[in-house]
Amino acid sequence: MNDQSDNDYTDPFRAGGGHFPGIGTATDCSDLSIAVLGGAVSGLAAAHAFRSLNSEVVLYERQSYSSKRVNCGEAMTAASAIPLTKTPRNGFANDTPAFEVHVYTGTDPGQRLVSKAVFPAPDTYITDRNLVEQQWAAQLADDGVEINEDYTVTKAEFESLADTHDILVDATGQPSLTSKVAGTTNEYGGHLTALNANVTGDFSDLYPKARIVLENYVGYAWAFPKTPTRANVGIGWGQRDLPDDYMAELRAVCERNGWPAPTRDQTNVAIIPKGPSLNPARTYLPTYNVVRVGDAAGIANRLSGKGISQGIHSSYLMAQLVAEDRLTEYPDVLHDHLRSEHFLAHVVRGVLEAGEPELLGDILDTVAGITIEDIDRSPRLALTRLLRRPTLFARLVAQPRVRRNAFEAYTDRWEYRSPE
């Protein structure tokens, strides 16, 4: 932890000499009026980006930040892109040094541990996400963003906002408000389902590391300790591999791993979107002056469902391109930024779908040591390591599901193709 006040607000745009993290130089946009629909992390990032460019920004959030119940996505990578001092008061509970990934042969009592891979996490925090969003929104309000909480934008208001603002940023999640207005909600046909809860118990053997557990189904379980006695635990599944009893599976995975099992009242159910599958035609709709970011743009990772750093990145990227008068390029640039990440995720997902835990364990052992964010943002590092092991690479491409997924990813079909 640093020794700054809990209320300090570090602006990565202004402190960085006029550019967003990982993106180029921007200019003043004081002539633009921006409406942001949705006030979770992607919407907050968009509001922050445009306010940093001196635009007039109004944000609409359907819940109240003081009572909003958000406990999904509490492991935040690329946390330096969030312009808050990393203190517990701001929601940053654990500066976790690494993620452990354990691979088992299955969920039965005779399950066997195949691999223990460790991925460093130099810019990652386990958070109280609700506090992060609440503090970020408060700082944006102090900086001049008009925050409207407990406000649900109707379809009719959507049309009005499109007429009265230069740009609408749709950060409403899935299915997005834009999709509802345009009648294209079917573009969100693919999804992951996750159950998670904050629990108390003894996590001292794991803390401060985080753990992901793979047990030969299309999904994974996790424990993200916030302190030695408090953690977020959960389990998620791909759409094709859903259980009959969600809570029973969550309780069972907690029992297998020695984690406290939450009650149903403690547990949050989240749907993580997988459409519109990086289709550039769906990301920017000039008819409505709308750009979509984060989950509304369907850019969550195709393997893990991880979407916070992706959402923040999409918002900063979009604002950067607006400042450079290149908004029309946003869909293709976003596609280029995320395509290799989605390619790798979709290929590895094929190993899960094939039910090959030994192969998955060997793959993870091979790429262990790469930082958790580089697995996403620089997947060539992982692919290069795999290519250096020709026998392992041959086992990988011998799997029909892997070959199919690789072809789908290479041709931008992914696991769900948006309607044209």
Side-chain angles (χ1 to χ4, degrees), residues 63-131:
Q63 300 182 65
S64 167
Y65 285 106
S66 61
S67 61
K68 192 175 179 183
R69 182 171 178 260
V70 177
N71 63 354
C72 187
E74 294 201 316
M76 296 187 182
T77 64
S80 58
I82 300 175
L84 293 171
T85 306
K86 304 306 185 286
T87 61
R89 182 175 175 180
N90 285 338
F92 297 89
N94 172 19
D95 183 3
T96 187
F99 283 75
E100 299 177 349
V101 181
H102 290 192
V103 180
Y104 290 89
T105 53
T107 60
D108 58 86
Q111 66 172 200
R112 179 171 54 86
L113 180 64
V114 172
S115 171
K116 287 184 178 180
V118 177
F119 297 88
D123 191 19
T124 298
Y125 284 80
I126 309 302
T127 68
D128 289 303
R129 178 175 168 180
N130 190 36
L131 272 178

Side-chain angles (χ1 to χ4, degrees), residues 52-244:
S52 296
L53 294 167
N54 299 314
S55 300
E56 292 298 317
V57 182
V58 56
L59 181 146
Y60 299 90
E61 166 53 39
R62 65 182 179 83
Q63 300 182 65
S64 167
Y65 285 106
S66 61
S67 61
K68 192 175 179 183
R69 182 171 178 260
V70 177
N71 63 354
C72 187
E74 294 201 316
M76 296 187 182
T77 64
S80 58
I82 300 175
L84 293 171
T85 306
K86 304 306 185 286
T87 61
R89 182 175 175 180
N90 285 338
F92 297 89
N94 172 19
D95 183 3
T96 187
F99 283 75
E100 299 177 349
V101 181
H102 290 192
V103 180
Y104 290 89
T105 53
T107 60
D108 58 86
Q111 66 172 200
R112 179 171 54 86
L113 180 64
V114 172
S115 171
K116 287 184 178 180
V118 177
F119 297 88
D123 191 19
T124 298
Y125 284 80
I126 309 302
T127 68
D128 289 303
R129 178 175 168 180
N130 190 36
L131 272 178
V132 174
E133 294 184 355
Q134 184 177 351
Q135 293 291 83
W136 198 352
Q139 294 289 1
L140 288 172
D142 289 345
D143 202 32
V145 175
E146 180 185 333
I147 304 287
N148 294 281
E149 301 178 54
D150 283 322
Y151 196 113
T152 299
V153 176
T154 66
K155 292 181 181 180
E157 287 175 309
F158 180 95
E159 302 274 5
S160 176
L161 290 170
D163 290 337
T164 56
H165 292 82
D166 295 299
I167 296 173
L168 295 188
V169 179
D170 189 340
T172 56
Q174 70 89 30
S176 69
L177 183 55
T178 301
S179 298
K180 295 174 183 177
V181 171
T184 57
T185 55
N186 62 332
E187 68 191 357
Y188 294 92
H191 62 266
L192 303 169
T193 302
L195 273 68
N196 70 106
N198 289 320
V199 297
T200 57
D202 185 2
F203 292 94
S204 57
D205 288 345
L206 178 57
Y207 180 85
K209 293 180 180 177
R211 181 171 296 166
I212 293 172
V213 179
L214 298 157
E215 299 178 297
N216 203 26
Y217 52 86
V218 184
Y220 61 96
W222 68 84
F224 296 154
K226 303 181 182 187
T227 71
T229 59
R230 190 167 66 95
N232 181 270
V233 299
I235 188 171
W237 303 267
Q239 190 174 10
R240 64 180 290 272
D241 213 8
L242 300 178
D244 295 327

